[in-house]
């Protein structure tokens, strides 16, 4: 959850009751800035998820009888929320329910055009091959990866390289121990 961790120093200082008003205001301002940063980072992760997982799956349905279509509504200007998001969303929903013609999703805003421009078509997620990483899997946790992109990304990750190094050192230690016994 965004908010608690960012305000924890402030809340601890208030609970302790021994901080000056100036210190509390500084901690509160830092908490607000940290929360804004965390919110922006969370939004970026959401956009990446939508771009990399949801939109490609919608694109694979365009050739099928029942099509999924994604619309991006620009909510960056809160003063324009009612017209850009609420009213436009209601209009799209009514058109969809009544079987009316839906606009081209890229025509809704510049942000929509940018986000929907280069959607890769990896094939259906249902057709993705599952990969098992025996290096990173343990007795408690099994690491399964969906699709070639996720597998390649995992193989380059810091976590995988660290586990590979640990496994290599363990094998070398075992081989040295075995040769010492002989």
């Amino acid at each position: 959850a965004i908010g608690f961790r960012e305000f924890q120093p402030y809340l601890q200082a208030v609970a302790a009751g021994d901080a000056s008003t100036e210190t509390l205001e500084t901690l509160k301002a830092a908490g607000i800035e940290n929360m804004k940063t965390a919110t922006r980072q969370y939004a970026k992760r959401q956009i990446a998820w939508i771009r990399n997982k949801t939109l490609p799956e919608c694109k694979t349905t365009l050739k099928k009888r029942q099509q999924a279509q994604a619309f991006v509504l620009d909510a960056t200007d809160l003063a324009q929320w009612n017209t850009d998001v609420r009213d436009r969303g209601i209009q799209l929903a009514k058109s969809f329910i009544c079987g009316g013609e839906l606009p081209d999703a890229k025509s809704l805003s510049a942000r929509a055009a940018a986000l929907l421009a280069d959607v890769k078509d990896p094939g259906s997620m249902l057709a993705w091959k599952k990969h098992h990483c025996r290096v990173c899997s343990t007795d408690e946790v099994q690491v399964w990866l969906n699709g070639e992109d996720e597998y390649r990304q995992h193989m380059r990750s810091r976590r995988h390289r660290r586990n590979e190094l640990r496994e290599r050192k363990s094998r070398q230690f075992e081989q040295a121990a075995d040769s010492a016994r002989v």
Side-chain angles (χ1 to χ4, degrees), residues 51-129:
R51 183 183 298 121
N52 297 328
K53 303 286 185 186
T54 306
L55 293 178
E57 188 62 20
C58 287
K59 189 173 182 179
T60 63
T61 67
L62 293 178
K63 301 169 190 97
K64 298 178 182 174
R65 193 170 58 102
Q66 286 197 340
Q67 298 176 353
Q69 192 169 2
F71 291 96
V72 178
L73 302 177
D74 189 355
T76 53
D77 184 2
L78 292 180
Q80 297 296 316
W81 174 268
N82 289 341
T83 56
D84 291 350
V85 179
R86 186 194 69 190
D87 297 343
R88 190 164 282 162
I90 291 170
Q91 179 186 13
L92 287 168
K94 284 180 179 178
S95 293
F96 175 77
I97 291 169
C98 296
E101 184 146 341
L102 294 171
D104 177 35
K106 294 177 187 173
S107 70
L108 295 179
S109 68
R111 190 166 295 271
L115 185 64
L116 298 171
D118 295 322
V119 177
K120 57 184 176 181
D121 187 2
S124 174
M125 282 190 241
L126 300 175
W128 283 357
K129 180 180 177 191

